[in-house]
């Protein structure tokens, strides 16, 4: 990504010297991805919007510790993952909640019937995701939604690639059993 | 799923890695050839691929507003992140560890006062005021300053 003429690494380096414009470029570049990841982890849009900002503020605070050998994407997602997990850990008992709102559904150009089906499939997928453990949910989101490689996921979660491989397979098995072939 | 596996069926782990393109050449070939002729494995591959397609729909979600101005406003109240020019930056990582752990470490090492004296302004500047909205304890598990946070072998 070289939007604004700067790569991520250049933006981070400038941000490390206190350049908030460069940091804002990074926020704009990653806000949707961080938001949707946190949203699928915590379930509430309002909370996800707040936590996304929080994750970026934590990233700003941690900038002195960023090293050029770290990919910004995985470094940022590590912070986002910790932010979401921290909230989930403290939440303990209460699990949410289907997402409200009908926006962002696939196939908006399709007819009403197809849209309804897409909506039902999405709700079923959300319900299945919510039945996964937090660890399973985050790994499947990083792989399937964020399209990260095993090596990138390993950097985000701080686990070996072997563990990525096995945890991801367990998560997918569980998700398929909850989501089921009925939605296929 | 996969409750009637044949003896030579690969584990789901291998099929899952296959669709991710994360298997080495030889293994990839073997497993792909097996899956083609095995109804159980091809059904599993099918399930995995359908799940993938379904999950793709989640990627369309957007925040729906530009958070950069909100983040910018919150950062404006702070100092820029200070690069610790002075020698002893080794303790800095503790600031973003769970506070209990950091405090325990500092007390154990008996350097808490020293750290505040040496880098007190940095400590103050980095206090996440916004966190107080949620919890007086800074969110845990952040260890971005530590070696283990970086990809292995990079
Ligand atoms: Zn088989």
């Amino acid at each position: 990504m070289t939007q604004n003429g700067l790569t991520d690494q250049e933006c981070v380096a400038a941000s490390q010297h206190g350049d908030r414009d460069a940091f804002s470029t990074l926020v704009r570049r990653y806000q949707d991805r961080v938001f949707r990841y946190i949203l699928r982890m915590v379930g509430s849009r309002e909370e996800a919007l707040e936590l996304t900002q929080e994750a970026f503020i934590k990233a700003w605070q941690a900038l002195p510790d960023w090293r050029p050998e770290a990919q910004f994407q995985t470094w940022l997602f590590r912070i986002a993952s910790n932010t979401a997990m921290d909230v989930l850990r403290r939440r303990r008992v209460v699990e949410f909640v289907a997402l409200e709102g009908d926006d962002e559904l696939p196939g908006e150009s399709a007819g009403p019937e197809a849209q309804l089906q897409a909506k039902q499939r999405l709700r079923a997928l959300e319900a299945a995701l919510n039945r996964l453990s937090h660890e399973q949910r985050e790994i499947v989101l990083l792989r399937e939604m964020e399209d990260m490689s095993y090596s990138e996921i390993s950097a985000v979660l701080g686990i070996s690639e072997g563990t990525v491989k096995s945890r991801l397979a367990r998560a997918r098995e569980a998700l398929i059993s909850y989501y089921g072939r009925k939605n296929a | 799923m996969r409750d009637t596996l044949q003896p030579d069926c690969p584990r789901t782990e291998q099929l899952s890695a296959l669709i991710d393109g994360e298997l080495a050449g030889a293994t990839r070939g073997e497993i792909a050839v097996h899956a083609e002729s095995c109804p159980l494995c091809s059904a599993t591959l099918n399930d995995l691929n359908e799940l993938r397609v379904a999950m793709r729909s989640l990627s369309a979600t957007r925040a729906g507003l530009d958070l950069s101005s909100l983040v910018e406003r919150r950062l404006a109240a702070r100092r820029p992140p200070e690069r610790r020019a002075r020698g002893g930056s080794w303790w800095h990582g503790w600031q973003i560890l769970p506070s209990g752990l950091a405090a325990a470490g500092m007390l154990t090492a008996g350097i808490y006062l020293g750290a505040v004296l040496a880098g007190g302004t940095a400590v103050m500047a980095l206090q996440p005021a916004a966190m107080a909205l949620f919890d007086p304890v800074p969110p845990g598990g952040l260890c971005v300053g530590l070696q283990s946070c970086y990809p292995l072998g990079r």
Side-chain angles (χ1 to χ4, degrees):
Chain A
M1 276 244 229
T2 53
Q3 187 188 342
N4 293 5
L6 292 177
T7 64
D8 282 359
Q9 309 295 94
E10 287 164 344
C11 284
V12 184
S15 303
Q16 279 188 315
H17 290 94
D19 182 342
R20 286 210 300 272
D21 287 343
F23 190 70
S24 287
T25 300
L26 290 169
V27 174
R28 280 191 295 275
R29 213 170 265 179
Y30 284 97
Q31 58 187 0
D32 285 330
R33 291 184 59 194
V34 171
F35 167 76
R36 73 187 178 214
Y37 170 72
I38 292 180
L39 174 68
R40 298 297 167 188
M41 289 304 291
V42 305
S44 139
R45 178 172 292 275
E46 287 308 308
E47 195 173 15
L49 283 171
E50 171 58 32
L51 291 173
T52 302
Q53 294 174 59
E54 218 174 272
F56 280 113
I57 288 168
K58 283 191 225 170
W60 171 261
Q61 289 167 344
L63 276 174
D65 298 300
W66 181 82
R67 303 280 178 275
E69 55 277 21
Q71 225 190 79
F72 179 72
Q73 172 196 230
T74 55
W75 186 83
L76 178 65
F77 266 85
R78 188 176 181 105
I79 293 174
S81 162
N82 285 331
T83 303
M85 282 299 205
D86 202 62
V87 164
L88 291 171
R89 239 174 261 126
R90 269 181 281 162
R91 190 186 277 172
R92 285 194 187 116
V93 193
V94 193
E95 268 305 324
F96 70 99
V97 249
L99 289 170
E100 71 282 1
D102 294 341
D103 49 347
E104 300 133 5
L105 283 170
E108 301 232 354
S109 56
E113 200 165 316
Q115 273 192 47
L116 182 65
Q117 279 179 1
K119 190 165 154 180
Q120 283 167 343
R121 276 201 301 273
L122 182 60
R123 293 292 171 263
L125 181 60
E126 283 170 352
L129 275 169
N130 292 343
R131 290 178 68 181
L132 298 181
S133 71
H134 302 152
E135 285 74 18
Q136 288 185 332
R137 191 151 78 222
E138 73 175 350
I139 202 165
V140 90
L141 289 174
L142 292 173
R143 176 67 200 117
E144 304 280 33
M145 191 172 76
E146 295 312 314
D147 202 27
M148 288 191 189
S149 68
Y150 287 11
S151 130
E152 287 167 336
I153 296 171
S154 140
V156 171
L157 300 181
I159 57 180
S160 72
E161 289 188 36
T163 306
V164 171
K165 185 176 167 186
S166 55
R167 190 183 293 177
L168 182 58
R170 293 295 88 72
R172 281 168 159 163
E173 279 183 318
L175 196 50
I176 287 169
S177 74
Y178 299 145
Y179 181 57
R181 290 161 184 84
K182 63 185 182 295
N183 294 295
Chain B
M1 119 179 160
R2 316 201 76 209
D3 40 11
T4 43
L5 293 186
Q6 304 302 305
D8 58 340
C9 281
R11 298 164 61 190
T12 307
E13 213 173 287
Q14 299 293 81
L15 296 174
S16 162
L18 178 71
I19 67 159
D20 291 330
E22 297 272 359
L23 287 180
T27 320
R28 185 173 60 229
E30 269 170 43
I31 290 176
V33 165
H34 169 91
E36 243 168 65
S37 59
C38 172
L40 289 167
C41 290
S42 59
T44 303
L45 275 184
N46 205 35
D47 286 345
L48 289 167
N49 281 315
E50 277 167 357
L51 177 65
R52 154 153 306 174
V53 171
M55 289 289 294
R56 283 278 150 82
S57 66
L58 301 180
S59 309
T61 303
R62 303 274 178 270
L65 68 158
D66 183 9
L67 298 176
S68 69
S69 55
L70 296 171
V71 170
E72 163 70 22
R73 207 174 302 154
R74 287 163 73 164
L75 290 180
R78 297 158 192 272
R79 297 182 180 205
E82 292 183 25
R83 310 198 75 176
R84 292 165 306 288
R86 271 174 292 185
S89 68
W90 52 273
W91 54 269
H92 174 79
W94 289 356
Q95 291 176 24
I96 47 177
L97 287 173
S99 63
L101 183 54
M106 284 179 170
L107 288 175
T108 307
I111 54 104
Y112 180 70
L113 188 59
V116 169
L117 289 175
T121 52
V123 171
M124 297 310 287
L126 288 165
Q127 281 298 329
M131 302 296 119
L133 286 173
F134 285 83
D135 195 312
V137 180
L142 264 185
C143 57
V144 280
L146 302 181
Q147 197 54 40
S148 63
C149 297
Y150 294 91
L152 297 170
R154 281 192 200 171

